[in-house]
């Protein structure tokens, strides 16, 4: 109860008309319920969130959420540092083995719950974060999840050319492109596949594109989109990518785009409109956070692997991406695939 007293004292000292009436602990998070009075100012409390975080010994600035059902304001405080769970452990769990869905078990939320999402429902995903924030590690997580949970074909665009090459040796379902010209050719090929699928849907009305069981899913993964656009002075890749993502979700082609530079010239309005699902890793400013999530928050993430997801399931959920070193992931996938074939 010591923490409740600290919070109540903080509220009195700052003349905030609210009182803590309960506390619950979930995972590494403590949630405090505040009963507020008529003249309580929410903006004043959110402006004081850094100070409140210090008083409460929180590992991140506390988040404020309204619980309209109970008429309470919830203050979420991170009581312990979030730690990455083992990706291999997540991949071994039975929950993923569905083969119809593109399930991905990405990590663990602050409340200690698993973050599991279906890529086909997302349906395009934008990932942003500064250098070293854990974007590539998140992509390794996603790729290995998809290799296990589904039979999808995967195309990976990676200008570094080495980071993901192991997957194409592990599975025939994965193809890698590493230059802008190859990337443009790949986009043209995917647009061709998309048009063919559309024609099939048009001529065979019984095909239900919504449940996506008819077409083999294709996932296009782009690591460092800004590098690709820099290599392509004509900016043809933009036009092609937009052409693809605007229509492709209805015929089982999904895109995951990661970028280190979440600036408005890279993540344009058209791209944002077509990527409803977002994951932000650590960024340097509130402006970057707003470009990725349309909200502040990612600037307060501290360590590599901490992220915020915003999609059809989660409003703004902070989580820790599960992580295993690459050699262990390859070893696990190699053994798993050898036993499955
Ligand atoms: N979920 C995680 N848990 C623990 N450590 C992590 C996690 N994600 C990343 N890291 C650590 O951070 C390092 C950098 O991660 P990563 O290469 O994924 O960053 P990045 O955002 O892709 O950087 P860049 O933009 O430079 O490519 C990793 O080598 C790893 O040591
Ligand atoms: Mg990277």
């Amino acid at each position: 109860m010591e923490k409740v007293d600290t919070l109540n004292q903080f509220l009195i000292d700052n003349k905030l008309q609210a009182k803590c009436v309960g506390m619950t602990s979930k995972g590494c998070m403590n949630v405090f319920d505040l009963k507020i009075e008529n003249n309580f100012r929410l903006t004043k409390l959110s402006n004081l969130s850094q100070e409140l975080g210090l008083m409460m010994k929180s590992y991140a600035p506390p988040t404020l959420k309204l619980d309209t059902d109970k008429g309470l304001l919830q203050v979420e405080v991170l009581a312990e540092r979030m730690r990455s769970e083992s990706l291999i452990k997540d991949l071994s769990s039975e929950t993923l083995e569905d083969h119809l869905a593109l399930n991905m078990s990405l990590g663990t939320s602050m409340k200690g719950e698993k973050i599991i999402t279906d890529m086909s429902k997302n349906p395009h995903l934008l990932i942003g974060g500064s250098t070293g924030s854990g974007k590539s590690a998140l992509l390794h997580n996603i790729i290995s999840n998809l290799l296990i949970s589904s039979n999808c074909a995967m195309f990976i665009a990676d200008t570094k050319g080495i980071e993901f090459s192991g997957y194409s040796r592990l599975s025939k379902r994965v193809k890698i492109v590493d230059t802008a010209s190859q990337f443009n050719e790949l986009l043209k090929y995917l647009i061709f596949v998309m048009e063919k699928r559309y024609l099939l849907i048009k001529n065979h009305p019984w095909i239900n594109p919504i449940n996506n069981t008819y077409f083999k899913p294709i996932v296009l993964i782009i690591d460092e989109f800004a590098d690709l656009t820099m290599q392509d002075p004509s900016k043809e890749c933009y036009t092609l990518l937009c052409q693809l993502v605007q229509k492709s979700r209805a015929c089982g082609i999904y895109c995951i785009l990661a970028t280190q530079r979440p600036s408005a010239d890279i993540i344009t309005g058209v791209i944002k409109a077509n990527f409803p699902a977002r994951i932000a890793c650590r960024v340097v400013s509130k402006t970057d956070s707003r470009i990725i999530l349309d909200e502040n928050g990612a600037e307060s993430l501290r360590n590599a692997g901490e992220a915020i997801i915003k999609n059809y399931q989660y409003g703004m959920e902070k989580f820790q991406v599960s992580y295993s070193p690459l050699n262990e992931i390859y070893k696990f996938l190699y053994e798993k695939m050898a036993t499955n074939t």
Side-chain angles (χ1 to χ4, degrees), residues 34 46 61 72 81 95 100-101 125 129 135 185 205-206 211 217 259 272 298 311 318 321 340:
L34 297 193
S46 61
L72 295 170
R81 194 182 294 280
T95 49
L100 280 182
L125 169 67
K135 298 179 298 299
E185 287 311 310
W206 60 88
N211 68 15
T259 186
K272 272 182 88 165
N311 70 354
K318 200 186 272 189
V321 177
N340 280 359

Side-chain angles (χ1 to χ4, degrees), residues 83-85 106 127-141 160 163-164 223-224 258-261 281-282 303-306 320-324:
R83 282 182 219 291
S84 306
E85 301 256 346
L106 300 177
I127 299 172
S130 57
T131 180
S133 59
K135 298 179 298 299
S136 299
L138 174 59
L139 290 181
H140 285 296
N141 176 321
K160 289 182 189 142
E163 212 167 335
F164 298 92
D223 193 16
E224 210 31 82
T259 186
Q260 195 187 84
R261 258 168 291 160
C281 299
R282 183 185 56 209
N303 306 310
E306 275 181 34
Q320 179 77 35
V321 177
S322 297
Y323 178 80
S324 292

Side-chain angles (χ1 to χ4, degrees), residues 303-318:
N303 306 310
E306 275 181 34
I308 296 176
I309 183 167
K310 186 179 174 192
N311 70 354
Y312 72 101
Q313 289 161 293
Y314 303 102
M316 279 272 283
E317 190 78 49
K318 200 186 272 189

